Amino acid sequence: MSRRSGILEFAVLGLLRESPMHGYELRKRLNTSLGVFRAFSYGTLYPCLKTLVANGWLIEEPGNTAEDALAAPLSGRRAKIVYRLTAEGKEHFEELLSQTGPDAYEDEHFAARFAFFGQTSRDVRMRVLEGRRSRLEERLEKMRASLARTRERLDDYTLELQRHGMESVEREVRWLNELIESERAGRDLKGPASGGSAQQNTTKGTPGVLPRSGDSRPDTPGDTAT
């Protein structure tokens, strides 16, 4: 399994844990909620869904709305399929949520993992956040060393692009520092959890919203320079 297909499967399982969905609705949620999937197509999603069904993690059910029920007899088209998470699929997703290996720190995978932090335990969140911060600090050190070696050979525009990339990474590191500090202080920032229950943010501000200070909010994870 490729890294990107693994991220997609993780995200699909996470969204379907919240509620069953049609393929179209699922694709829309992936596009709007998870920026890492802005450019993917139905040709990518449906093979993923078929794989998850074959593994026993999803089941296909006919749509249950009046429109879906009339679709086949009126138009000759097959009614929409709803995808539902199975008990095995939920167990598999929870296993994936508990993993904190190096892949969880990479740009695309971190963005997907962070989107489901509301369903992730605090100790796992801490390990992922600290791993991501360490990865970015290593990247920042390499970028600074590279710039120091080559700045005299770069034109002004290339130099400015390098600086912009470094500033993006620095912003995300500051943002991660804030999140880690909040987690260590025991401030639970989870919004509505799956199953309909909602936990209130214990910090000042909007319930369920992550803290921000000044201009420390980073670019979307995954948009930083490499």
Side-chain angles (χ1 to χ4, degrees):
M1 179 192 303
S2 71
R3 176 179 296 176
R4 186 166 179 81
S5 64
I7 298 170
L8 179 58
E9 290 185 5
F10 171 82
V12 167
L13 292 171
L15 289 175
L16 292 177
R17 188 187 186 194
E18 299 173 5
S19 66
M21 297 183 200
H22 297 303
Y24 174 80
E25 182 184 4
L26 184 58
R27 180 174 182 264
K28 184 177 179 181
R29 287 289 305 279
L30 287 165
N31 281 330
T32 57
S33 302
L34 302 177
V36 66
F37 298 110
R38 289 189 190 103
F40 90 110
S41 65
Y42 282 112
T44 303
L45 175 60
Y46 281 100
C48 172
L49 290 170
K50 294 300 183 183
T51 297
L52 296 176
V53 170
N55 288 339
W57 298 329
L58 300 182
I59 57 173
E60 297 177 329
E61 299 177 337
N64 56 8
T65 66
E67 180 182 352
D68 291 338
L70 292 172
L74 293 181
S75 65
R77 293 178 300 180
R78 188 175 64 176
K80 291 181 180 178
I81 297 297
V82 171
Y83 294 91
R84 182 185 299 274
L85 196 66
T86 64
E88 292 81 3
K90 182 178 179 181
E91 182 179 347
H92 179 62
F93 179 68
E94 290 174 350
E95 179 184 343
L96 294 176
L97 277 181
S98 69
Q99 295 177 3
T100 59
D103 280 353
Y105 317 148
E106 299 297 337
D107 293 342
E108 290 186 341
H109 208 153
F110 175 75
R113 286 298 301 268
F114 191 84
F116 295 100
F117 262 22
Q119 303 179 42
T120 306
S121 64
R122 177 175 281 115
D123 63 319
V124 172
R125 293 198 303 264
M126 280 291 294
R127 290 198 294 272
V128 173
L129 289 171
E130 289 176 339
R132 173 66 175 175
R133 182 177 62 181
S134 295
R135 181 62 52 86
L136 290 183
E137 287 173 341
E138 292 173 3
R139 183 184 300 176
L140 194 56
E141 184 178 349
K142 292 178 181 177
M143 293 172 74
R144 287 170 175 160
S146 176
L147 184 60
R149 290 193 307 268
T150 61
R151 65 182 307 138
E152 293 182 358
R153 301 194 300 271
L154 300 177
D155 61 51
D156 290 344
Y157 292 101
T158 304
L159 185 60
E160 189 61 29
L161 183 62
Q162 293 289 324
R163 288 172 176 163
H164 173 69
M166 288 176 57
E167 289 172 358
S168 296
V169 177
E170 289 168 347
R171 283 196 300 272
E172 187 172 344
V173 170
R174 291 196 298 269
W175 175 66
L176 290 167
N177 286 336
E178 292 178 5
L179 292 174
I180 291 169
E181 181 182 352
S182 294
E183 294 287 349
R184 284 177 176 165
R187 294 195 291 269
D188 194 342
L189 305 176
K190 290 193 293 184
S194 61
S197 62
Q199 294 187 344
Q200 197 81 351
N201 184 0
T202 56
T203 61
K204 293 182 180 179
T206 306
V209 176
L210 300 174
R212 300 284 184 256
S213 63
D215 64 350
S216 61
R217 182 174 180 173
D219 295 334
T220 302
D223 290 343
T224 53
T226 55

